[in-house]
Amino acid sequence: MKKLSLIIIAAALCSACTKNYPVANYDIIPQPKEVKLSEEKSFVLSQKTVVYYEDGLQREAQFLSEYVDDILGFAMDVQAYQDQANGIVLKLDSEDFDQAEAYEINVTPKQVTIKGFDAAGVFYGIQTLRKSLPISQLTTLNSQLTLNSKLSTLNSQLPIGTIRDYPNFAYRGMHLDPCRHFMDLDSVKIYIDMLALHNMNQFHFHLSEDQGWRIEIKKYPELTEVGAWRSGTVIGHNGNLYDTIRHGGFYTQDELRDLVRYAAERHINIIPEIDLPGHMQAALATYPQLGCTGGPYEVWRRWGVSDDVLCAGNEEAMQFVEDVLNEVMDVFPSPYIHIGGDECPKVRWQQCPKCQAKIKELDLKADGRFTAEDYLQSYVMNRMAKVVEARGRRVIGWDEILEGNVSETAIIMSWRGTEGGIEAAQKGHDVIMTPSSHLYFDYYQSEDIANEPNCIGGYLPVERVYAFHPLPEELTPEQQRHIIGVQANIWTEYIASFRHVQYMAMPRMDALAELQWNNPEERDFDAFVERCRKMAQLYDLYHYNYAKHIFNPQAWTDTVVPNLATRKPITLREQPAEKYAFKGAVVLNDGELGRSAYNSGRWLGFSGTPLDAVIDMEQNATVTNVRFRALVKKGSWIYNPSQAKVLVSDDGTTFREVAQKSFPISGWADKDGIFTYELEFEPASARFVEVVINGHDLPEDHDGYGHPAWIFVDEIEVW
Ligand code: ACM
Ligand code: ZN
C-alpha cells in the first residue's frame, strides 16, 4: 500500500517535471529587502550543477550542497572557482556593499552568483536560496528514506532576477537556559541550526543558575561534580511537592570548544553567561564558604529567585568569579561576555558582617535613589567588567545593572520591558532589546491554556512578537543607534525537553527574525503567515517541532452571536487602565471573545474606576436584555463586578435607567473563570444604551486588601 502511493506520486511528478520543474519562491523569512525578477526563463538547478567557491568560501559551498541535498535529494559538486564557470558561484566583494553581512544573489539562465560583503553575507545568501527552494511531497518522502532508497532527485527552477539584502541589526540573538533543565549537546547544535536558518548570529548561552551549574571549570572541578546536579525538582508552580529524580548535566570544555567551532561555521557567536552575584546557589551548594551565611545550601529544587547570593565582602568569592570568568574566556572567543546581574536580592548582604565591612571600606552610601547594597552590586559588576575588558572583551548585563553606577562600557540587555533599554541608550550604553512583554518565548502562545503544555505563564502570541518595534520613539536617531540588537529568551523552568524548546521557539522565532533582519515600518501579518507556511515545510523536513496556531486561526477565535451592539460606535466615559486599554472601547463590542489570558487584547481592565460605555445602535430598536462577560482570577486581583446598570436614551444626552443588579463578591471557595452577567428589563425603545459596571474592593482575606479589585470585561451584548 505504502509502496503504491510512492510510485503514484513519483510518476505524477516525473510526467510534470521534464520541462516544468518546481519553481523556487523568494518570499521567505526574513523577507529579502529587494527582489527584482525578470520574465526570462529560469536557471535549472540539477545534479549537474556545480558550486564554485572563491578562497575562504569552501565551507559555505559545502553548506549549500548539503542544503540542496536535504531539500532536492542531490548533493552538488563543490569546486574551487574557475573563470566563466557555469553553475553557482560564491564570491566576496566588500566594495559592492555598505555593510557587513550584506549579500546579492544574481540568477541568470546559465549562472547563479552569490556575492557577499563577507563570508557571513555569502552564508545568508545561501540561507535565502535554501529557504526559496521548492519543497514537495517527494522531498518529504525522501527525507524519510535512506540514501540508497531515495525515490529520485528533484530538479528545480530558480526564477531569473536579483536579490539584494542586508540586516538592520548587527546583533540578532536567541538565548537558551540549559540550567533549569539540562539540554544535551546534540540538542544545542540543533538549536544553533535553527538560529542559522533564521539568519541569527548570536547565541546567548546561560550557563549558571541556582538550579544547576553547567560548564566544567578546571580550577573548581567540584562545580560540576556537585553543582551540576539537583536531587529533585518541585512539581508544578512552586508548591510543596517535589519529585526525587536526580537531574542535571554539564558540558566539558572540550565539548564547548567543539560547539564554538560548530556555531562559528554557521556565522554564529556564542555568548556565555555566568550569572552573578545572584542566581548562584548551585555554586554555593558546592562551596558554601562563598555565601554570606556559610550554608549549608542545596542545588535549588525550586524555581524563583534565591535570597542566597555570592558574598560580595568575601575576597575568596570575588577570586572565584574572576577565575571562572577567565576560564570561560579561554573557552569562548566571544567579543561579549554576559555577567548576569539580574534579580539579586540584598537581604543577606544587609545582615552580613563581611558585606557591611566592604560597604564601609568602599564608603558606599544610600542616596535616595539606590541603597548602599545596590552600590555594592555595582562594585562587584564593575570589578568583573574589568576582568573581562582586560582581555579585550565587552560585558553584557541584564538591565538591573543600571541600578547603581554601572560601567559606561557595559552593554545593557533590557528585559523588564523597554524602559531599561531606553534609559541606557540615553546614557550612551549599547543596548540589546529583549523585553519580556514581547520576546520571552517561555510564555504561553495560545489563550487555550488547557491545550498547551504547562508553562511559566503570560501570553505572548506570534502576533505580539511580530508587532514589536525595537527602536523606541522616545529616543533620538543618535540614541537609537545604541540599540544594537534584538533577542528572544527561552527559560526552561517548565520546559523539560528539547522538543518542547522547539515548540516554544517556532514560529515566534520567525517573527523575531523579521524584526532583527528587517524591522519593517509597515507589517502585514497575513503575508508573514504565508511565508511562515513555507518555513513550516522546512521544519517538517528537519523534524523540528513547532506550534501551529497561526496556520489555523479559526480554531482559536471565539465570537459572539451578532447582536444590536456588535461593531456599533462605542465610547467610554471612563478610561481603562493604560496597560489594559489595547484598542480601546471597540474591544467591548468587536464580537471577539477572550480566554483566560487577560492581557490578550480581547479584554479591557479597570481598577478603581467603573466601566461606563455608551453604544450607539445607529437606529431605534427595542431592547430587553444586556449581557456582558467578565473574568474572575482572584489570585491576580481580578474579581466579579459588584454592580451593573443599564440606561437607555434616544438622543445620547438624556439617559433613563432601566435595570440595575448587584453581585456578591466571589469567595475563595467559588471557582475562578469567565462568567456571563445578564440584566433583563421591560422592553424599551432606544437608540443609545449605556452600561455601567462597578468593581468590588479586595476583601480582608486577600493579599491586596485595601486596594480596589480589577474588573476585566471582553464583550457587551445588547438584545
Ligand atoms: C531574567 O529574566 N531574569 C533576566
Ligand atoms: Zn556577605
Side-chain angles (χ1 to χ4, degrees), residues 466-708:
Y466 190 66
F468 180 60
H469 284 272
L471 298 177
E473 286 174 1
E474 291 90 333
L475 298 179
T476 64
E478 187 57 41
Q479 290 165 343
Q480 283 184 349
R481 275 195 273 282
H482 283 297
I483 312 292
I484 61 169
V486 192
Q487 173 176 302
N489 300 335
I490 300 190
W491 303 99
T492 59
E493 287 93 334
Y494 300 92
I495 306 177
S497 74
F498 186 66
R499 293 288 290 167
H500 190 179
V501 167
Q502 290 188 314
Y503 177 83
M504 300 309 272
M506 295 171 293
R508 288 187 282 200
M509 199 169 173
D510 294 84
L512 174 64
E514 279 294 343
L515 309 183
Q516 293 173 327
W517 189 269
N518 288 323
N519 190 24
E521 267 304 304
E522 303 289 330
R523 294 178 194 186
D524 179 342
F525 188 72
D526 293 339
F528 164 75
V529 170
E530 287 313 306
R531 287 183 284 119
C532 278
R533 281 184 208 282
K534 199 153 188 320
M535 286 298 266
Q537 291 181 316
L538 277 170
Y539 299 161
D540 287 334
L541 177 68
Y542 289 109
H543 305 291
Y544 293 168
N545 193 21
Y546 62 99
K548 301 184 174 74
H549 312 89
I550 57 167
F551 305 127
N552 191 14
Q554 284 77 16
W556 52 298
T557 305
D558 295 332
T559 52
V560 293
V561 177
N563 56 82
L564 293 169
T566 309
R567 286 187 282 279
K568 290 285 160 43
I570 182 169
T571 51
L572 283 168
R573 295 197 203 271
E574 303 272 2
Q575 290 312 306
E578 210 176 308
K579 240 171 110 177
Y580 303 111
F582 304 102
K583 290 180 188 157
V586 294
V587 170
L588 296 174
N589 67 341
D590 58 4
E592 290 188 3
L593 299 179
R595 293 203 178 164
S596 67
Y598 53 88
N599 61 346
S600 64
R602 301 255 171 86
W603 298 90
L604 292 189
F606 297 80
S607 167
T609 46
L611 182 163
D612 188 345
V614 179
I615 298 153
D616 175 0
M617 297 182 292
E618 292 183 311
Q619 59 184 19
N620 262 66
T622 302
V623 295
T624 62
N625 189 309
V626 166
R627 268 181 239 162
F628 64 90
R629 295 198 340 152
L631 182 69
V632 178
K633 213 169 186 174
K634 293 186 281 287
S636 302
W637 300 31
I638 302 169
Y639 273 75
N640 63 318
S642 61
Q643 190 204 52
K645 279 192 301 193
V646 177
L647 303 91
V648 295
S649 167
D650 292 327
D651 57 8
T653 311
T654 317
F655 282 83
R656 146 177 99 83
E657 186 174 309
V658 291
Q660 188 186 123
K661 206 164 175 178
S662 295
F663 309 100
I665 189 163
S666 180
W668 290 108
D670 299 319
K671 273 198 169 153
D672 283 359
I674 297 167
F675 300 94
T676 300
Y677 302 83
E678 185 159 2
L679 289 86
E680 272 185 284
F681 42 88
E682 291 296 314
S685 169
R687 174 171 160 174
F688 297 89
V689 174
E690 179 176 7
V691 182
V692 185
I693 304 169
N694 288 285
H696 286 284
D697 285 329
L698 291 170
E700 266 182 54
D701 61 356
H702 194 284
D703 282 350
Y705 176 59
H707 295 273

Side-chain angles (χ1 to χ4, degrees), residues 17 63 76 86 105 135 153 182 223 231 274 282 315 367 420 427 460 501 507 540 586 612 631 636 644 648 664:
C17 72
F63 274 127
M76 295 178 293
N86 282 353
I105 303 175
I135 297 183
T153 59
F182 182 65
L223 270 177
S231 61
I274 300 298
E315 204 42 42
D367 58 8
K427 288 181 171 161
L460 184 42
V501 167
D540 287 334
V586 294
D612 188 345
L631 182 69
S636 302
V648 295

Side-chain angles (χ1 to χ4, degrees), residues 64-101:
L64 177 56
S65 180
E66 288 163 23
Y67 297 148
V68 167
D69 194 15
D70 294 339
I71 296 168
L72 302 180
F74 55 86
M76 295 178 293
D77 227 12
V78 168
Q79 297 177 18
Y81 179 71
Q82 300 160 16
D83 242 5
Q84 303 293 319
N86 282 353
I88 303 182
V89 178
L90 309 184
K91 57 202 267 191
L92 296 173
D93 185 357
S94 59
E95 301 285 295
D96 191 34
F97 301 97
D98 296 332
Q99 67 171 77
E101 302 182 305

Side-chain angles (χ1 to χ4, degrees), residues 279 342-343 398 415 440 491:
H279 290 282
D342 60 322
E343 300 178 322
W398 299 107
W415 74 277
Y440 265 41
W491 303 99

Side-chain angles (χ1 to χ4, degrees), residues 180 206 209 273 275 279 305 342-343 398 400 413 415-416 436 440 489 491:
R180 271 53 176 268
H206 182 83
E209 260 305 338
E273 178 184 358
D275 200 349
H279 290 282
V305 177
D342 60 322
E343 300 178 322
W398 299 107
E400 284 95 332
M413 214 168 237
W415 74 277
R416 296 175 302 175
S436 58
Y440 265 41
N489 300 335
W491 303 99

Side-chain angles (χ1 to χ4, degrees), residues 31-49:
Q31 177 117 65
K33 289 210 170 49
E34 190 186 300
V35 181
K36 284 189 187 150
L37 296 178
S38 87
E39 296 293 307
E40 275 182 81
K41 63 178 189 175
S42 52
F43 176 92
V44 175
L45 185 59
S46 75
Q47 213 157 3
K48 291 189 212 123
T49 310

